[in-house]
Amino acid sequence: MASASTAGRVEDSARGATLSSDEEGGDDGDSSEGEEEFDAHGFALPPQGDTLGDSFRRYAAWFEAKAQRRRGRFEKHRTRLPASSEWVGLPKKRLKALLRKGLPQEHRREVWISVLGVEERRKRSNHSYEEIRARAKKEIAFKTGEEIERDLQRTFPNHRRFRGSEGQGQLRNVLTSYAIESPRVQYCQGLNFIAALLLIVMEDEDTAFWALVCAIDTLGVERYYTEGMTLLRADMRALSSLMQKKCPKVARHLATNGIDVMAVCSEWFITWYAKCMPISTTLRVWDTLFYEGFKVLFRVAVGVFKRVENDILKCPDFDDLMEQAKDWPRGMVQHNELLKASFKGIPGLKRKDLLKARDDALCAVEREDEEQQKRLAEHRQAKAAAAAAAAAAKAAVEGKQSPSSPGPTVPLERSGLTW
């Protein structure tokens, strides 16, 4: 389980992160004065006049015609599936292109279940979700349960589902069940946002739980969430290396001002962008992520930096950069343009090259951890040896002061002795 101090990098709610596009018909414009307005995914929309909210509404209106055309093409492909809901039966190139264009909200659940292999994983398990959930209620470690409980009210507080006890209870069940299913991880802050978004899309606990299990397995990111977050740290190094090649001006500017990519991007990777981006944009990212794998995390990170390169280069120093950093992904309202920047804008990014960079970084991180553990062990041994030497010296002094070897006279009232 990841340490609390490291996991604490995933901060509490960010207003801009839960903006969501109306492209699926969420804003009907009929809400009366004083009533809260929600998008198609159940998130509260910012009021009229909010800069980011207004930007979102304008983009949603502009994108609607394109979304309708894509929905039509999607429906045609759906009628030609080899079997009902078996999207993995499509040719790989066709399915990849379809996912990069984005899925209609009403069919997202169906497609994710297919590409993640949720039903197959559920059938392979020796235990049903209900059985795992029952075990969790009895066996969950106190510390793990306490950490989950703390994060429930901090997870998407502006979503209708998670404002009440029922939605929070569902999220609790999924997270505690995952802690039982994956004892190496148990719980790490960041998983709450992923599980919550899966609950929103999948609708029921059972499917959301197995989707969480499948997604972490598919992406191969379990070690993002284990003690020390070894793989996350390695991927941050690999991303830094990638930035030097694909976005060199930004990489140099950050380095010149003493900013490590880890400080900016660790939250992006650990939540798969669920917390830091507008929800409509996050869903577009997940459409491709669940099929193409972990490399999408890297592509999107570079895509974000490319989209805000001019803003970054205008920041004069460390403080200004860190102050602006949260706004970079939060401002990615134009999801279609981000996907273009992340894929068409980054040619020549091969999986094998990314895997090599990741493996090299992982070896370096593990070697450093081993060296640190060795230094800590040596420090403990030296400390123990010093304590033993001090104890021996004290014993020798006390021996010299015994009755057979009289020492200085100590008044009875100070020695603590009584007649």
Side-chain angles (χ1 to χ4, degrees), residues 135-142 144-145 148 175-177 179-180:
R135 280 185 58 201
K137 290 181 178 179
K138 298 177 182 177
E139 301 175 19
I140 190 74
F142 176 78
T144 301
I148 290 172
L175 291 172
T176 54
S177 297
I180 295 297

Side-chain angles (χ1 to χ4, degrees), residues 174-175 178 191 194-195 198 207-217:
V174 171
L175 291 172
Y178 184 76
L191 290 174
I194 295 170
L198 286 171
T207 308
F209 167 75
W210 290 116
L212 177 63
V213 172
C214 290
I216 291 175
D217 286 350

Side-chain angles (χ1 to χ4, degrees), residues 81-114:
L81 291 177
S84 178
S85 302
E86 288 191 12
W87 288 91
V88 290
L90 287 178
K92 289 184 178 180
K93 286 187 177 180
R94 188 180 303 170
L95 180 56
K96 182 188 288 188
L98 199 63
L99 292 169
R100 287 187 181 184
K101 293 292 185 182
L103 297 170
Q105 175 62 12
E106 62 269 26
H107 297 304
R108 186 167 270 125
R109 178 183 189 273
E110 170 189 310
V111 179
W112 285 7
I113 287 173
S114 178

Side-chain angles (χ1 to χ4, degrees), residues 349-357:
L349 178 57
K350 297 180 180 179
R351 180 182 293 271
K352 66 177 183 179
D353 294 335
L354 197 53
L355 280 170
K356 185 180 185 305

Side-chain angles (χ1 to χ4, degrees), residues 79-361:
T79 61
R80 298 170 185 166
L81 291 177
S84 178
S85 302
E86 288 191 12
W87 288 91
V88 290
L90 287 178
K92 289 184 178 180
K93 286 187 177 180
R94 188 180 303 170
L95 180 56
K96 182 188 288 188
L98 199 63
L99 292 169
R100 287 187 181 184
K101 293 292 185 182
L103 297 170
Q105 175 62 12
E106 62 269 26
H107 297 304
R108 186 167 270 125
R109 178 183 189 273
E110 170 189 310
V111 179
W112 285 7
I113 287 173
S114 178
V115 299
L116 286 172
V118 171
E119 293 302 332
E120 292 83 355
R121 180 66 180 83
R122 193 189 334 234
K123 291 174 183 175
R124 286 201 313 271
S125 176
N126 295 324
H127 304 284
S128 67
Y129 169 67
E130 288 75 15
E131 291 170 334
I132 297 170
R133 186 176 66 183
R135 280 185 58 201
K137 290 181 178 179
K138 298 177 182 177
E139 301 175 19
I140 190 74
F142 176 78
K143 182 181 178 183
T144 301
E146 196 175 48
E147 289 173 352
I148 290 172
E149 208 64 34
R150 267 200 310 268
D151 284 342
L152 292 179
Q153 293 187 0
R154 300 190 287 194
T155 306
F156 295 142
N158 59 342
H159 190 278
R160 284 183 296 202
R161 185 172 195 161
F162 302 113
R163 287 179 172 178
S165 59
E166 182 179 356
Q168 290 179 16
Q170 292 170 338
L171 181 57
R172 178 190 298 111
N173 290 339
V174 171
L175 291 172
T176 54
S177 297
Y178 184 76
I180 295 297
E181 178 71 12
S182 181
R184 286 186 64 199
V185 173
Q186 295 185 50
Y187 177 68
C188 175
Q189 201 175 49
L191 290 174
N192 51 320
F193 290 100
I194 295 170
L197 191 50
L198 286 171
L199 269 169
I200 291 167
V201 175
M202 298 301 180
E203 299 176 358
D204 64 279
E205 287 181 35
D206 191 310
T207 308
F209 167 75
W210 290 116
L212 177 63
V213 172
C214 290
I216 291 175
D217 286 350
T218 297
L219 300 178
V221 294
E222 185 185 63
R223 291 176 74 186
Y224 277 9
Y225 310 104
T226 52
E227 186 68 38
M229 294 178 161
T230 312
L231 184 60
L232 177 67
R233 289 155 54 208
D235 277 359
M236 291 297 99
R237 294 191 185 193
L239 175 61
S240 182
S241 177
L242 180 64
M243 291 270 297
Q244 292 169 17
K245 297 175 183 176
K246 301 297 183 181
C247 205
K249 290 182 180 179
V250 170
R252 280 197 301 270
H253 193 64
L254 294 178
T256 299
N257 286 281
I259 293 178
D260 191 330
V261 168
M262 180 86 176
V264 177
C265 302
S266 58
E267 181 183 278
W268 303 4
F269 276 44
I270 205 172
T271 65
W272 312 346
Y273 301 97
K275 181 181 177 294
C276 59
M277 279 186 178
I279 289 299
S280 290
T281 305
T282 301
L283 293 172
R284 286 287 306 271
V285 170
W286 284 20
D287 288 343
T288 64
L289 178 68
F290 292 158
Y291 187 65
E292 297 187 45
F294 78 95
K295 71 173 184 178
V296 173
L297 296 173
F298 288 85
R299 280 192 171 277
V300 172
V302 178
V304 169
F305 283 120
K306 281 183 170 289
R307 294 275 294 159
V308 296
E309 180 171 322
N310 291 335
D311 294 335
I312 292 174
L313 297 180
K314 289 176 185 176
C315 291
D317 53 35
F318 176 91
D319 291 338
D320 199 33
L321 283 163
M322 292 306 295
E323 184 179 344
Q324 298 294 323
K326 285 193 176 298
D327 291 335
W328 301 335
R330 195 178 295 171
M332 295 294 113
V333 171
Q334 299 179 355
H335 47 80
N336 207 53
E337 285 62 37
L338 175 62
L339 268 290
K340 284 181 181 178
S342 302
F343 289 97
K344 292 182 180 180
I346 311 173
L349 178 57
K350 297 180 180 179
R351 180 182 293 271
K352 66 177 183 179
D353 294 335
L354 197 53
L355 280 170
K356 185 180 185 305
R358 173 189 248 191
D359 289 344
D360 290 345

Side-chain angles (χ1 to χ4, degrees), residues 35-65:
E35 285 186 353
E36 211 165 9
E37 183 183 2
F38 294 88
D39 69 7
H41 313 292
F43 288 95
L45 288 168
Q48 296 285 346
D50 178 270
T51 303
L52 197 58
D54 289 348
S55 174
F56 150 69
R57 289 181 176 89
R58 286 193 299 271
Y59 185 75
W62 174 85
F63 190 74
E64 180 59 26

